[in-house]
Amino acid sequence: MNIDMNVVTNRFTGTQKIEYWNNSPDTLWQVFYHLFYNAFQPGSMMETRDRRQAGILLGYDRDGKELSDKDTRIKDISKLNPDEIGYQKIISMKLNGRPQKYKVMETILEVTPDKPILPRSKVVFDVQFEAQVPLIIRRTGRDQPVTKVRYSMAQWYPKICAYDQEGWHPTPFIGREFYGVWGDFDVSISIDKRYMLGGTGYLQNPNQVGFGYETPGTKVITPPGEKLTWRFLAPNVHDFMWAADPDFIHRTKKIKDSLTLHLLYKATNATAEQWEGVLNRAEKMWPYIEKAFGAYPYKQFSFIHGGDGGTEYPMGTLLLRYTSAMHELMHAWFYGMVANNENKYSWMDEGFASFAEHKIRAIVDSSKGFPFSGAYDSYGRLVKSEKEEPMSTEANYFNTNFAYQQSSYTKGEVFLVQLGYITGRSTLDKILYEYCRQWRFKHPNPADFMRVAEKVSKMKLDWYYENWIHSIKTIDYKIDSLWEEGGKTNVRIRNIGMIPMPIDVQLTFKDSTKELHYIPLDLMYGEKQAEDSTLPRNVYNAWKWTEPTFIISTKRRLGDFKVVEIDPSLRMADIDRKNNRLEIKWN
């Protein structure tokens, strides 16, 4: 792409050439593009959806004020002036040099090729377009009121839709998630030479550009004229983001021979020390991330001030605040490399990134507490809200923003933590590493992940996936009763929930000794290995999921008991933990 940006009118023109390979066995009679900027106009689907959500009441705050479901990051699109809206206009569309018919349906462009695109063949699309950058509304735009960053250029170009085994994915943009096509990007951006840029890709002309990108000790020779052209190459990515501002502060940190971190920020809503701490924090976390999820395949990653929160893109992120930097960094693996269809399976990206962030933070900080407690608390609030919808709901179709957020981020995170409860912590580590290794650059779906999980764990896990992802059923076990009989003490556990699970029961005695009693679930066709070699463990025959109760036994006398606890690790998302723990106080 070749882009010419006018920073006075906030408009740009562009030409785009795509060499498109139809790697499928299908003949393509249609081609679809995303035109994201067209969402930022009065009367758009995004505005209609936002007005609807504003009318949904979630409850009241402490002061009695109504809490609506409106996404507070989305500004009032209806009040935008003509020079504040966003748009993308197609000037011409050619296929192998021939003009093509096309139809614009707001954020989707449908092209009807004059000749079908045959399987295993390559065609060339040439597109001319012009666009206006909207005021920052959602993720993308200009003149962010908090950060004061001029341009956050995400979802900014005509982007060809993904085609996979399910066909085309022309998903209208209403402010939610993404799905993109792998490709090699060559992007030249001509802009007022006062502006500093950062984003996806490798800068090809650093010694002409300067701004801290130049080779150390090199004299920057800037071409004449009022504009400067920045050229970036980005191999094997599925999107391209950039940001620009004349007052960016640029810092770099080379954390190994093959990788440089970039930070572009303005000291508007945080101190320079806080922002520059992002690079130190990332350097500290990086070895642990790569050990857990595989090597980072690119030569750079950029943390860039801008946007409306924290938003992930290949090789970089846009950040409203420095505090979200590490979460967005984890997206470099799940969004950037694995890259599932986020519109359909947002939990596979958001939930996995949240899990990874909290896991790595706990390792680096040597945290002693349960690092995922926030996710479990949020999941509990979701259940109690009675607004929960199945995680399998496509992102755009959740009835409330609240349910979408909690399902994608927190219940998605709990999904992985609880999978570790079922398979064992070390097995979960192996599952995630193998998943990232096997499926990088391949757009996996949930079935692909579950097959990796089953092969690594040597368990059947379809029962867990179906109940947790496709339903809103809940887990609830309780300690039913204790009694002595035949020289043993029996403990009966009752399942009063709808999702069956394997069960850990820990017995603590007056002398401070402990026993762990492990009950596999019959549907697993396997069992997890002991996670704590210092703790005696009794393993039982599998609990048949149709049976409401199960009895465990110990040779210890009832009078020796101090505490009985179901799942002392807190990883099973039991909706009522009060009946999971019984402390016996003897007179």
Side-chain angles (χ1 to χ4, degrees):
M1 285 188 287
N2 292 291
I3 305 300
D4 188 15
M5 168 68 81
N6 186 323
V7 299
V8 176
T9 63
N10 301 302
R11 297 172 184 171
F12 61 92
T13 58
T15 60
Q16 180 187 87
K17 181 177 182 177
I18 299 179
E19 294 182 353
Y20 183 81
W21 283 91
N22 177 12
N23 291 318
S24 78
D26 305 327
T27 298
L28 304 181
W29 297 89
Q30 297 167 296
V31 176
F32 294 92
Y33 283 75
H34 297 283
L35 302 176
F36 294 108
Y37 273 2
N38 290 344
F40 305 107
Q41 299 177 14
S44 70
M45 294 175 68
M46 179 185 283
E47 193 221 347
T48 301
R49 177 77 176 189
D50 185 56
R51 281 191 281 106
R52 175 189 184 274
Q53 301 314 116
I56 296 177
L57 179 64
L58 296 178
Y60 299 87
D61 65 14
R62 293 178 180 178
D63 299 324
K65 182 180 178 181
E66 288 186 350
L67 296 174
S68 82
D69 191 55
K70 176 178 170 57
D71 187 337
T72 56
R73 297 168 298 182
I74 298 179
K75 308 305 185 292
D76 192 342
I77 300 173
S78 67
K79 295 181 179 179
L80 294 179
N81 296 321
D83 63 346
E84 296 172 334
I85 67 170
Y87 64 72
Q88 285 168 330
K89 296 179 180 178
I90 303 301
I91 307 303
S92 70
M93 167 70 69
K94 294 181 179 179
L95 173 62
N96 291 339
R98 304 184 308 274
Q100 301 296 301
K101 295 181 180 179
Y102 59 86
K103 180 170 59 174
V104 175
M105 295 168 285
E106 198 173 292
T107 60
I108 297 297
L109 172 75
E110 179 183 4
V111 183
T112 306
D114 58 353
K115 294 182 180 179
I117 303 173
L118 299 178
R120 315 298 180 189
S121 67
K122 184 187 81 169
V123 296
V124 177
F125 290 99
D126 286 288
V127 185
Q128 286 184 287
F129 61 97
E130 65 178 41
Q132 179 170 285
V133 185
L135 288 180
I136 189 81
I137 302 293
R138 181 72 180 97
R139 302 178 190 252
T140 183
R142 59 180 169 90
D143 300 319
Q144 218 292 343
V146 176
T147 66
K148 310 301 181 185
V149 171
R150 280 242 62 207
Y151 295 110
S152 297
M153 301 296 286
Q155 301 102 253
W156 60 277
Y157 62 93
K159 179 182 177 182
I160 198 163
C161 296
Y163 185 91
D164 60 17
Q165 66 272 20
E166 297 177 347
W168 286 107
H169 292 273
T171 306
F173 182 60
I174 64 168
R176 289 271 166 84
E177 304 295 350
F178 308 102
Y179 187 33
V181 181
W182 299 109
D184 299 330
F185 284 70
D186 183 344
V187 180
S188 294
I189 302 165
S190 181
I191 192 171
D192 186 311
K193 62 173 50 175
R194 298 172 299 165
Y195 281 68
M196 183 193 301
L197 273 62
T200 302
Y202 313 134
L203 184 61
Q204 299 300 293
N205 55 338
N207 295 333
Q208 286 186 330
V209 166
F211 289 109
Y213 288 99
E214 69 273 14
T215 306
T218 300
K219 182 179 179 181
V220 177
I221 301 175
T222 305
E226 296 180 353
K227 290 187 175 183
L228 184 60
T229 298
W230 299 59
R231 186 184 176 211
F232 296 91
L233 296 182
N236 206 22
V237 297
H238 54 84
D239 205 349
F240 189 99
M241 171 275 294
W242 59 285
D245 191 278
D247 298 318
F248 269 146
I249 298 168
H250 182 201
R251 298 286 184 261
T252 64
K253 195 175 189 66
K254 192 167 187 176
I255 63 173
K256 55 184 179 178
D257 290 342
S258 60
L259 179 61
T260 299
L261 304 182
H262 294 268
L263 171 69
L264 284 77
Y265 74 95
K266 298 177 73 172
T268 50
N269 59 338
T271 66
E273 182 180 10
Q274 288 171 322
W275 271 109
E276 294 183 18
V278 167
L279 295 180
N280 295 328
R281 183 70 168 166
E283 180 182 31
K284 190 175 181 180
M285 292 176 66
W286 209 280
Y288 298 97
I289 300 171
E290 291 198 319
K291 182 179 179 180
F293 308 112
Y296 181 72
Y298 305 114
K299 299 176 183 178
Q300 76 93 8
F301 186 89
S302 296
F303 298 97
I304 305 174
H305 205 180
D308 70 345
T311 310
E312 65 278 4
Y313 297 98
M315 291 196 218
T317 176
L318 289 170
L319 301 166
L320 182 66
R321 296 178 177 85
Y322 73 94
T323 50
S324 60
M326 294 308 109
H327 174 84
E328 302 309 325
L329 173 59
M330 293 316 313
H331 279 296
W333 275 260
F334 295 102
Y335 163 87
M337 284 181 276
V338 176
N340 61 278
N341 182 344
E342 290 185 76
N343 284 303
K344 294 193 70 173
Y345 318 114
S346 54
W347 57 272
M348 291 181 70
D349 174 62
E350 298 295 356
F352 285 26
S354 296
F355 168 86
E357 177 199 4
H358 294 132
K359 173 184 172 65
I360 301 300
R361 280 184 183 275
I363 294 172
V364 172
D365 297 338
S366 300
S367 300
K368 295 182 179 179
F370 184 50
F372 310 104
S373 58
Y376 280 69
D377 291 344
S378 293
Y379 167 66
R381 288 192 293 271
L382 174 64
V383 172
K384 291 177 182 177
S385 74
E386 299 184 349
K387 294 187 182 299
E388 184 181 5
E389 299 174 59
M391 288 169 63
S392 56
T393 304
E394 191 166 336
N396 285 346
Y397 300 149
F398 276 92
N399 186 53
T400 64
N401 289 317
F402 170 77
Y404 157 72
Q405 289 280 343
Q406 299 302 321
S407 294
S408 300
Y409 288 78
T410 59
K411 193 177 178 184
E413 180 177 356
V414 171
F415 168 80
L416 280 186
V417 182
Q418 193 164 241
L419 181 62
Y421 169 74
I422 295 167
T423 65
R425 288 188 186 91
S426 62
T427 300
L428 176 63
D429 291 343
K430 294 173 184 176
I431 289 169
L432 287 169
Y433 187 88
E434 180 62 17
Y435 170 63
C436 290
R437 184 198 69 80
Q438 187 178 136
W439 286 101
R440 61 168 52 194
F441 308 122
K442 293 181 181 178
H443 294 318
N445 60 36
D448 298 319
F449 174 77
M450 294 309 300
R451 287 301 294 134
V452 171
E454 289 191 333
K455 288 178 181 179
V456 172
S457 69
K458 298 180 176 61
M459 297 178 184
K460 281 298 294 178
L461 298 167
D462 53 342
W463 59 273
Y464 176 54
Y465 172 79
E466 290 297 329
N467 279 291
W468 196 254
I469 304 298
H470 288 285
S471 82
I472 57 172
K473 296 177 181 178
T474 55
I475 300 166
D476 192 5
Y477 283 84
K478 66 175 290 186
I479 300 165
D480 181 85
S481 52
L482 291 75
W483 70 96
E484 282 190 1
E485 183 178 16
K488 295 181 180 181
T489 300
N490 297 322
V491 179
R492 180 158 50 215
I493 308 299
R494 183 175 296 275
N495 180 11
I496 55 177
M498 294 298 293
I499 300 180
M501 291 289 286
I503 299 297
D504 288 333
V505 182
Q506 182 174 282
L507 308 180
T508 304
F509 304 103
K510 290 178 181 179
D511 59 6
S512 298
T513 60
K514 297 178 180 180
E515 292 178 357
L516 185 67
H517 296 250
Y518 172 58
I519 314 168
L521 180 67
D522 65 328
L523 299 172
M524 296 162 54
Y525 296 97
E527 61 187 54
K528 69 177 173 183
Q529 299 301 306
E531 296 178 289
D532 184 352
S533 60
T534 67
L535 188 64
R537 186 176 83 144
N538 297 325
V539 180
Y540 293 80
N541 291 329
W543 186 338
K544 297 178 183 179
W545 74 271
T546 54
E547 294 293 333
T549 62
F550 195 97
I551 297 172
I552 64 171
S553 300
T554 177
K555 294 180 181 179
R556 300 292 295 265
R557 301 294 302 272
L558 182 58
D560 295 335
F561 276 54
K562 183 178 181 181
V563 178
V564 180
E565 185 171 10
I566 297 172
D567 177 34
S569 71
L570 307 179
R571 291 173 293 170
M572 186 172 72
D574 194 303
I575 60 167
D576 182 10
R577 296 199 66 86
K578 293 190 300 294
N579 57 22
N580 285 22
R581 191 176 190 275
L582 175 64
E583 185 172 356
I584 304 172
K585 298 180 180 180
W586 302 98
N587 294 328

